[in-house]
Amino acid sequence: ARAAQVPFIIAINKIDRANARPDRVRQMLADNGVLVAGWGGEVETVEVSALQKLGLDDLLEMILLVTDVTEPVADPDAPASGTIIEARVDRSRGAVSTVLVANGTLRAGDWVLVDKTGGRVRAMTDYRGNRLKEAPPSTPVEITGLDDVPSAGDRFVVMPDEASMRAVIKERKDAETEQKDKRLSLDEILAGISLGEVKELNVILKADVQGSAEALAGALSRLGTDKVVTRVVYSGVGGISEADMTLAKASGALIIGFNVRANPQAREIAKRDKINIRYYSIIYKVTEDMQALMVGLLDPTYKETFIGNAQIREVFRITKVGNVAGCMITEGMVKRGAKVRLLRDNVVIHEGVLKTLRRFKDEVREVQNGYECGMAFENYDDIKVGDVIECFDVEEVKPTL
């Protein structure tokens, strides 16, 4: 909800139970950065019981209240757009999708684009199974006609014609082929991610018993530092399901299964959407891997070490080589393979690598203080008498938590 930047309401269910503790839910929300009304925040909560049908009128009133405050506006005359609520394959009807129209009016016969699939709306029915010709904003309907089964949570838009829809699908598929999904995978992070854009590792935990889930969630939350944190998006008991896949895709999370496995449908979704599932049976192995992943999210730092200076005494023009500097090493030494920068009046003019380092006519590995040598830069010729060539090494320092 936060990623989508939409208002939300917390419905606290099962309050009919004798051991119901709604304030514990509010405390858990606060622990995860969601402050509810009455606890210093603005997110509304409503206590309900689906079984006893308690609080449902209050929930409906709260929805209307939040709607009045946020004033969402839809244009029924615009091309339809909305969200896929769920989707499945029906043996007789093909891909069947339940969609919620957020804006515009969806009509039978419209060309609908969803991520990298699409199709023409062949039939549209409401929740009672009645056939509809059009669906205005805020209407949930079931549609058929898409080429493939979309993912729950995907956005759909109506395109003007089939050609434009197919063009967008082709463009998206081509882009996916050229550049693989950027979703974080365990292998990629362990290999070392240097993008520096993500400093939070999202995790979904599924365990065989509640005690294991709570222990893992607590252990992972304690791994956080001021540089990078592990955030448990969701933890629960039981096998890994399609709902977990939907949440993982929406939050970019890794899924950890502790003494549990994914069902066949979830495995298929994970393969299709490149969602990472990792199985464990020992808690300390989980924390070890997560620490390695967190380190992989950090940017490395670099330490520069001064090696030496050389002053240019003469500049020679050599055919097929370019300008070569006749130098005197005035401090330290100069090494072939090290980085160099050219200074003119103490201002850095160029930074790069040496093309050649010679002592008389011989190519050498290094030249010490007090000796003369010839040097030429790789792909750079603007050198003058009196310039100083500074030689240095750069060492990568691995990040730590």
Side-chain angles (χ1 to χ4, degrees):
R2 281 178 163 174
Q5 296 183 337
V6 295
F8 57 97
I9 301 167
I10 306 294
I12 304 176
N13 194 26
K14 304 180 190 257
I15 62 163
D16 57 295
R17 292 191 174 185
N19 60 349
R21 296 166 57 192
D23 279 344
R24 180 170 179 267
V25 176
R26 295 184 176 95
Q27 181 61 56
M28 293 169 68
L29 289 166
D31 292 342
N32 285 275
V34 180
L35 294 178
V36 302
W39 287 58
E42 298 180 353
V43 178
E44 298 290 344
T45 61
V46 181
E47 298 178 13
V48 301
S49 167
L51 185 66
Q52 301 291 338
K53 296 181 173 57
L54 301 175
L56 300 186
D57 289 339
D58 296 335
L59 178 59
L60 291 172
E61 289 179 6
M62 186 57 66
I63 292 172
L64 291 174
L65 176 62
V66 172
T67 301
D68 288 340
V69 171
T70 56
E71 297 183 346
V73 177
D75 179 6
D77 297 325
S81 62
T83 305
I84 304 294
I85 304 301
E86 64 180 30
R88 68 184 192 280
V89 176
D90 186 279
R91 290 185 177 180
S92 59
R93 296 189 292 167
V96 179
S97 306
T98 302
V99 306
L100 178 62
V101 181
N103 194 43
T105 300
L106 182 64
R107 297 178 175 85
D110 282 345
W111 290 100
V112 174
L113 171 70
V114 188
D115 193 23
K116 292 180 285 295
T117 188
R120 193 168 197 170
V121 179
R122 290 201 306 264
M124 188 163 54
T125 57
D126 63 14
Y127 67 96
R128 292 191 179 94
N130 299 321
R131 293 288 289 264
L132 300 175
K133 291 185 177 180
E134 59 181 34
S138 298
T139 306
V141 290
E142 195 174 74
I143 64 171
T144 61
L146 298 184
D147 297 335
D148 296 304
V149 179
S151 299
D154 283 351
R155 298 283 297 174
F156 78 84
V157 293
V158 169
M159 303 297 290
D161 50 49
E162 182 181 13
S164 57
M165 181 195 74
R166 300 294 178 195
V168 174
I169 291 174
K170 183 180 184 302
E171 181 180 329
R172 290 177 177 178
K173 287 183 176 180
D174 289 346
E176 184 181 48
T177 301
E178 293 174 4
Q179 186 175 10
K180 291 183 179 179
D181 192 356
K182 295 297 184 183
R183 190 180 311 284
L184 295 176
S185 72
L186 292 172
D187 292 337
E188 288 170 338
I189 298 173
L190 286 171
I193 294 178
S194 60
L195 295 177
E197 298 171 353
V198 180
K199 296 295 183 294
E200 185 176 73
L201 182 63
N202 290 339
V203 175
I204 294 174
L205 288 175
K206 296 301 290 287
D208 53 342
V209 294
Q210 186 63 36
S212 296
E214 291 180 356
L216 279 168
L220 294 180
S221 65
R222 289 191 292 271
L223 294 178
T225 69
D226 58 346
K227 298 178 181 178
V228 61
V229 297
T230 297
R231 185 167 69 95
V232 178
V233 178
Y234 172 76
S235 67
V237 175
I240 300 169
S241 66
E242 301 96 308
D244 299 320
M245 296 296 110
T246 301
L247 180 57
K249 184 177 180 181
S251 60
L254 311 172
I255 298 180
I256 292 177
F258 190 79
N259 289 330
V260 297
R261 293 294 184 270
N263 64 33
Q265 294 85 356
R267 289 198 301 270
E268 185 62 30
I269 295 173
K271 182 178 178 181
R272 182 190 69 194
D273 294 338
K274 299 181 178 65
I275 297 171
N276 292 284
I277 306 175
R278 193 70 166 244
Y279 300 114
Y280 297 91
S281 58
I282 303 173
I283 287 181
Y284 80 81
K285 287 295 295 179
V286 179
T287 55
E288 282 183 356
D289 277 4
M290 292 306 107
Q291 281 182 316
L293 301 178
M294 292 166 70
V295 170
L297 292 175
L298 297 175
D299 295 326
T301 57
Y302 298 90
K303 179 182 178 182
E304 182 178 306
T305 304
F306 172 79
I307 298 176
N309 278 339
Q311 188 177 51
I312 299 178
R313 300 289 176 86
E314 294 287 344
V315 176
F316 306 97
R317 182 71 183 179
I318 300 177
T319 306
K320 296 183 180 180
V321 176
N323 287 342
V324 175
C327 303
M328 172 66 75
I329 309 302
T330 58
E331 186 178 358
M333 65 177 180
V334 173
K335 292 194 308 183
R336 190 173 61 192
K339 290 183 174 295
V340 289
R341 56 172 64 101
L342 182 68
L343 307 178
R344 186 171 297 162
D345 297 327
N346 295 317
V347 176
V348 177
I349 302 299
H350 174 72
E351 187 171 310
V353 295
L354 290 179
K355 179 166 58 176
T356 182
L357 176 62
R358 290 180 176 271
R359 177 98 172 114
F360 300 112
K361 293 184 178 182
D362 299 324
E363 190 77 24
V364 295
R365 295 180 59 86
E366 61 183 46
V367 181
Q368 296 289 337
N369 182 22
Y371 288 92
E372 295 180 339
C373 64
M375 287 187 278
F377 286 92
E378 188 77 44
N379 300 320
Y380 189 78
D381 269 354
D382 183 20
I383 55 178
K384 296 181 180 180
V385 174
D387 289 350
V388 173
I389 297 175
E390 182 181 76
C391 183
F392 62 98
D393 269 334
V394 176
E395 178 186 1
E396 181 178 316
V397 180
K398 291 184 179 181
T400 60
L401 294 178

